[in-house]
Amino acid sequence: MKSRRLFWSVVDKIEEGIDNGSYLPGTRLPSERELSELFNVSRPTLREAIIALEVRGRVEVRTNAGVYVMNQEDKAKKSAVSHISAFELTQARALVEGEAAALAAVSITPEELDKLGELVEMLDDEASSDEADRDFHLTICQSTRNKALIHTIQNLWELRKQPSVQQAHSYICSQSTAQRKEEHNVIYQALKARKPEQARSAMHKHFNRLINALFEASEVQALEEIKQKSEATRQLYSLDRILSSK
């Protein structure tokens, strides 16, 4: 039997330190150099150990900040958030932001309406369109004057920062710039007319299009993966490949 790889012994020692309180939740682990010297291993071995600990949910690697010990509450939150799909998030936003738009139609100020109009025009600019999109939706939620609703929508936008969700939305938004602007303009016009039902309906139509676009993008990706697998299988069983190897 092969001996256990060296980095697993480092994993065990660091986990033991976390469990006995030597490394407290929320605190930063010693530097890579210090840990390498402490456990008498090379830095590549230590890095393998850190990767294993991160996969186990014991530590969090923060870019340019170091490695931090996770507490169980943070671990549970991170696990829950990482399982939220782009579809689930978009559906939740449609439900909540639809009602926010209806409420905003009767409480939005002229100044906020002017800001929304400016943001709609900014959607033409590829460099600032994502920021304009975010500000548009958050301005609407702010105009509801409902703190609970504002907090909820802000949290939903934080969830949108997940890499998988962000990637999906960036792709579909880049494919429909003109339609994206038109949908936001319809929402803006309904708010300007102070018509709650129209504002709710316009917001729902916007998100319904996003959900359908997400499905279409997923189907394209699935077909591409099938194509790649088929090509790999074809190459594997190709007679030309087999004969040329003789």
Side-chain angles (χ1 to χ4, degrees), residues 1-245:
M1 181 183 291
K2 293 183 179 180
S3 60
R4 200 160 183 254
R5 294 185 66 179
L6 182 58
F7 79 87
W8 282 115
S9 66
V10 178
V11 170
D12 291 340
K13 290 172 183 175
I14 293 178
E15 284 193 324
E16 183 182 348
I18 293 172
D19 293 336
N20 66 26
S22 297
Y23 305 127
L24 297 174
T27 61
R28 183 177 180 276
L29 286 180
S31 70
E32 187 178 276
R33 179 183 59 79
E34 292 174 300
L35 289 175
S36 295
E37 292 176 355
L38 177 63
F39 300 123
N40 194 29
V41 295
S42 66
R43 292 193 180 188
T45 297
L46 179 66
R47 288 171 196 145
E48 286 186 282
I50 295 299
I51 291 171
L53 288 165
E54 188 175 24
V55 171
R56 289 187 173 192
R58 302 308 302 270
V59 302
E60 179 182 15
V61 179
R62 301 179 188 174
T63 305
N64 299 324
V67 182
Y68 287 77
V69 179
M70 290 185 67
N71 58 46
Q72 291 306 304
E73 184 178 349
D74 287 340
K75 181 180 177 182
K77 286 180 180 178
K78 188 171 183 180
S79 176
V81 167
S82 66
H83 287 87
I84 295 175
S85 70
F87 297 103
E88 292 171 317
L89 179 58
T90 305
Q91 184 183 54
R93 285 187 59 203
L95 295 171
V96 177
E97 293 196 43
E99 295 311 307
L103 185 57
V106 296
S107 60
I108 196 166
T109 66
E111 292 76 19
E112 288 168 331
L113 282 169
D114 289 342
K115 182 178 180 180
L116 289 182
E118 293 172 1
L119 290 168
V120 168
E121 294 306 315
M122 289 174 64
L123 290 170
D124 280 329
D125 186 351
E126 187 176 343
S128 61
S129 61
D130 286 343
E131 184 177 353
D133 180 29
R134 179 179 182 276
D135 288 348
F136 182 91
H137 287 274
L138 292 183
T139 296
I140 292 174
C141 90
Q142 291 286 346
S143 70
T144 65
R145 315 285 177 245
N146 184 308
K147 293 179 182 178
L149 199 53
I150 292 169
H151 178 72
T152 299
I153 293 173
Q154 287 176 336
N155 281 342
L156 289 174
W157 270 91
E158 284 300 308
L159 292 176
R160 196 178 181 277
K161 293 179 181 179
Q162 294 178 74
S164 60
V165 175
Q166 193 171 40
Q167 182 179 10
H169 277 280
S170 294
Y171 173 77
I172 62 175
C173 287
S174 67
Q175 302 298 308
S176 55
T177 303
Q179 192 170 7
R180 182 189 193 188
K181 180 182 178 180
E182 177 57 25
E183 288 167 355
H184 283 76
N185 187 52
V186 173
I187 295 168
Y188 163 62
Q189 294 299 335
L191 292 170
K192 192 175 181 180
R194 299 191 179 279
K195 295 184 176 181
E197 287 299 326
Q198 285 187 18
R200 180 189 291 114
S201 176
M203 189 67 81
H204 284 168
K205 286 179 180 178
H206 169 55
F207 280 109
N208 189 54
R209 197 264 304 171
L210 289 179
I211 289 173
N212 286 331
L214 283 170
F215 274 113
E216 290 172 5
S218 295
E219 288 171 358
V220 170
Q221 183 179 4
L223 288 172
E224 182 60 30
E225 289 176 355
I226 291 172
K227 182 180 177 182
Q228 291 176 356
K229 288 179 181 177
S230 296
E231 182 61 29
T233 303
R234 183 182 295 112
Q235 291 295 326
L236 179 63
Y237 293 105
S238 168
L239 283 177
D240 289 339
R241 184 190 68 83
I242 295 171
L243 293 173
S244 64
S245 66

